[in-house]
Amino acid sequence: MIDPAPPAPERRALPLLALALVSAAGLAYEILLMRLFSIIQWHHFAYMILSLALLGFGASGTFLSLAGRALDRRFAASFAANSALFGAAAIGCFALAQRMPFNPEEMLWDPRQLLLLSGVYALLAVPFFFVANAVGLTLMVARERVGRAYAADLIGAGLGSLGLVLLLFAAFPDTALRYVAALGALAAGLACRELRWHSRAGPLLGLLLAAGIVLSPQSWVEPRLSPYKALSQTLQISGARIIDQRSSPLGVLTVVASPRIPLRHAPGLSLNAQAEPPPQLGVFTDGDAMTAITARPPVLPKGGSSRDGRSLEFLDYLTSALPYHVSEPRNVLILGAGGGMDVLQALSHGAGRVDAVELNPQLIGLVRGRFADFAGQLYNAPGVRVHADEGRGFVAASDERYDLIQLAALDSFAASSAGLYALNESYLYTLEAFDLYLDQLAQGGYLAVTRWIKLPPRDTLKLLATAVEALRRRDAHPEQQIVLIRGWQTSTLLIKNGPVTAREIEALKEFCRARSFDTAWYPGMPAVAANRFNRLESPYFFMAAQALLQGNADAFFANYKFDVQPASDDRPYFSNFFKWSTLPEIFALRDQGGRALLEGGYLVLVATLVQAIVAGFLLIVLPLFLAPGLRGAARRPVSRWRLFAYFAALGLAFLFLEMVFIQKLILFLQEPVYAVAVVLSAFLVFAGLGSAWTARARRADQDRRGVMRAAVLIAVFC
């Protein structure tokens, strides 16, 4: 194929500001889609957004190689049109994608869902196609000034990622989508002015289009939550209504009241409980992971009952109340305080001081601000100190020693049971995290972790395996320091800083007997004490504890149908239990409930990978090899294989570095959106500065030795 962009006879103007603006809009749109699909569906759709953005850019490269010569002659019109089309497509394609009846829960048995996923994938790639066209056309025109064009593109994109995070502090994601889309229209108008093409009418039309996008109907951009999300199901309760909403990059908080049929959030409440919870408000993060703000009695007497009839006695009938019966903790640390139920539990059991750590400051603001009277001024109570921080980071920076460190059940029961957190990084449940928690325990103190129960058992066993390995690394005796109980819905694991005593074991047994909770492990536990109340076919939890604590862990890990080996900071996927060896069995049981055995995130991940490979081959690779001979700038033939290998290696290296840095920075920045924004902005802005520098120093570093030196430096510093 003849070079689609032969050298121009004259030096043309470059729309560098417009290029920076449309690049900023493109990357902001990519990160915003991750947030929107975390709200509409779940976190694992973020991987799909990354791949469809790359597909849009790849398809644009193929398109420009075929049509670039014609577009080059109409560069001003082409750049402005593609920028404006991005703005229109960002709104339109998102609205159409939401209206497709795609349901990831049906993918295992309904082949149509794969086609619908492909449709969603193709629609959302379209805006990236237009952004890439605008960028690619500018680079084709720039030629000898390509360094300046690359600098504008990369720096604009990097600043766009940071700008989007700042915007999400001020606007809800659907509103932010309008603003980001409007940037495309503004870039079109700015390009007309920079290129002196319809320099009066063009900017005016760009402003009018931007205004039209910002004022587009709310129904076009409003997220339509999956019907399987907890918020969707709660709003179907008669009388349930949304009474407040807050938004930040950490998530959209939705407060729901249900006066007609009261909300009752008490995870794992014993069936023996006589008292029901007092009035509660449900607080949902991104439509899921509900926490409750519980009405607190104005006077909190010992025992939990108040003069006005409201009672907190129900808190004593949760598995998470166990540490308050085997010991008397005075100094308590709650990680993941949420709406404050665990803080209430600690105070009702006589804790003198409670440090409550909650990641989202807006959730703290709800309990401490608007709903402070409803919550009985809980977060302003004497002895309660509330910290807006990530749990592990707070522990690492603390010099306190606690009698009890408590990790609440932070996830949604439905999403956790469906395996929708399988691809989520969580640094709260790794071996390194457990080592930090144990370091902060006072002598005789307890670490308590409550999790939802999955059947067949997974979460609880992985948690137990992590505790056992963490203690063994400290040359401790896990069989003497671990206690595990389970109810019908939750389990609670206790790890003591020291051996569990006979008195504590007696208190444990009495606690479980009175509430019909099952003991799964305590030092010296006989097999007959397991599986008594919430009966399973076999005492799976006790059998697993025996294997893990009595030296058969390797055989147990190898033979168990799920991956329950401890998570680490290098592999922080605590909720990933999938083993490829079980896939044939799960598929064979798909019509008999086998879908529940497969981690839901994998369905989307695998389907997205397959369709990305197919689409990439059809839209990028195949045209490259079917087209006539390629020629470089010096009019010499270019090897397709060398061209493909060079850019594939360059792209993969850049992408892999970004992925590694993003995952590692989640540990330090505590939130994926922050990590993505910081990594992308740093990589792109500094890559842009490098491009600007090469534009000035091109003659000195145009030879192969300059490229090799740069590659060696990259390898060394990474």
Side-chain angles (χ1 to χ4, degrees), residues 363-378:
L363 181 51
I364 296 173
L366 287 172
V367 183
R368 183 178 267 169
R370 177 175 176 182
F371 301 106
D373 290 338
F374 180 87
Q377 299 294 331
L378 176 63

Side-chain angles (χ1 to χ4, degrees), residues 253-292:
L253 297 180
T254 306
V255 185
V256 175
S258 182
R260 187 175 303 172
I261 303 176
L263 291 173
R264 292 291 182 260
H265 182 67
L269 181 66
S270 167
L271 300 179
N272 296 358
Q274 299 297 311
E276 64 181 25
Q280 293 178 316
L281 300 174
V283 184
F284 300 84
T285 301
D286 287 346
D288 208 57
M290 187 184 109
T291 185

Side-chain angles (χ1 to χ4, degrees), residues 28 31 159-171 248-250 673-678:
I31 298 175
L159 295 178
S161 66
L162 282 180
L164 188 275
V165 172
L166 296 176
L167 178 60
L168 286 175
F169 279 108
S248 76
L250 297 176
V673 171
Y674 293 158
V676 169
V678 168

Side-chain angles (χ1 to χ4, degrees), residues 79-92 177-190 192 201-217 220:
F79 184 96
N82 277 286
S83 299
L85 285 171
F86 162 76
I91 294 287
L177 177 60
R178 290 193 179 101
Y179 294 148
V180 168
L183 290 180
L186 293 176
L190 182 59
C192 293
L204 179 60
L205 289 174
L207 285 172
L208 290 175
L209 178 58
I213 290 173
V214 171
L215 298 175
S216 59
W220 290 10

Side-chain angles (χ1 to χ4, degrees), residues 413-437:
F413 173 71
S416 179
S417 298
L420 297 173
Y421 295 121
L423 303 177
N424 284 29
E425 301 93 342
S426 176
Y427 290 94
L428 284 174
Y429 301 105
T430 65
L431 287 167
E432 293 82 357
F434 271 53
D435 198 46
L436 282 174
Y437 306 149

Side-chain angles (χ1 to χ4, degrees), residues 274-572:
Q274 299 297 311
E276 64 181 25
Q280 293 178 316
L281 300 174
V283 184
F284 300 84
T285 301
D286 287 346
D288 208 57
M290 187 184 109
T291 185
I293 302 176
T294 304
R296 182 188 181 212
V299 177
L300 190 66
K302 192 161 183 170
S305 296
S306 66
R307 295 173 184 173
D308 64 358
R310 289 187 289 178
S311 170
L312 295 177
E313 184 183 350
F314 81 101
L315 293 171
D316 198 43
Y317 280 77
L318 307 177
T319 60
S320 57
L322 175 62
Y324 300 102
H325 286 260
V326 298
S327 65
E328 295 181 355
R330 301 294 300 167
N331 190 11
V332 177
L333 172 62
I334 307 246
L335 302 181
M341 183 181 293
D342 295 287
V343 178
L344 272 179
Q345 188 180 61
L347 294 178
S348 68
H349 285 89
R353 193 176 78 184
V354 180
D355 281 322
V357 180
E358 167 55 43
L359 176 62
N360 194 333
Q362 289 193 326
L363 181 51
I364 296 173
L366 287 172
V367 183
R368 183 178 267 169
R370 177 175 176 182
F371 301 106
D373 290 338
F374 180 87
Q377 299 294 331
L378 176 63
Y379 280 177
N380 300 312
V384 176
R385 300 187 302 183
V386 184
H387 310 269
D389 204 344
E390 189 270 338
R392 179 170 168 180
F394 177 85
V395 173
S398 174
D399 294 326
E400 293 277 349
R401 291 294 183 269
Y402 294 95
D403 302 319
L404 173 63
I405 299 177
Q406 191 166 20
L407 274 74
L410 303 174
D411 306 326
S412 151
F413 173 71
S416 179
S417 298
L420 297 173
Y421 295 121
L423 303 177
N424 284 29
E425 301 93 342
S426 176
Y427 290 94
L428 284 174
Y429 301 105
T430 65
L431 287 167
E432 293 82 357
F434 271 53
D435 198 46
L436 282 174
Y437 306 149
L438 294 171
D439 281 341
Q440 300 306 119
L441 288 178
Q443 185 62 36
Y446 276 97
L447 169 64
V449 189
T450 297
R451 295 288 300 180
W452 301 102
I453 285 180
K454 292 180 183 178
L455 293 176
R458 281 161 277 179
D459 276 51
T460 303
L461 303 190
K462 194 163 192 172
L463 191 67
L464 177 60
T466 304
V468 171
E469 181 62 22
L471 287 171
R472 284 184 175 150
R473 289 186 177 187
R474 303 167 72 90
D475 295 324
H477 302 282
E479 69 281 356
Q480 299 176 17
Q481 297 176 239
I482 286 177
V483 166
L484 176 63
I485 68 169
R486 65 177 179 90
W488 64 276
Q489 192 181 41
T490 60
S491 66
T492 294
L493 173 73
L494 299 187
I495 310 167
K496 186 180 179 183
N497 184 14
V500 179
T501 66
R503 184 197 63 80
E504 291 170 329
I505 292 173
E506 287 304 315
L508 157 74
K509 291 192 285 188
E510 175 57 27
F511 174 83
C512 291
R513 184 200 60 78
R515 294 156 183 78
S516 295
F517 293 150
D518 286 284
T519 54
W521 179 264
Y522 58 81
M525 176 177 166
V528 294
N531 205 30
R532 297 177 58 195
F533 300 108
N534 304 282
R535 294 184 62 84
L536 303 174
E537 183 179 358
S538 296
Y540 299 115
F541 292 88
F542 175 72
M543 293 165 59
Q546 274 190 315
L548 293 171
L549 288 160
Q550 296 180 357
N552 298 319
D554 290 340
F556 176 78
F557 291 143
N559 296 327
Y560 201 63
K561 291 186 180 296
F562 298 94
D563 181 4
V564 293
Q565 295 192 64
S568 67
D569 283 355
D570 289 332
R571 299 185 64 187

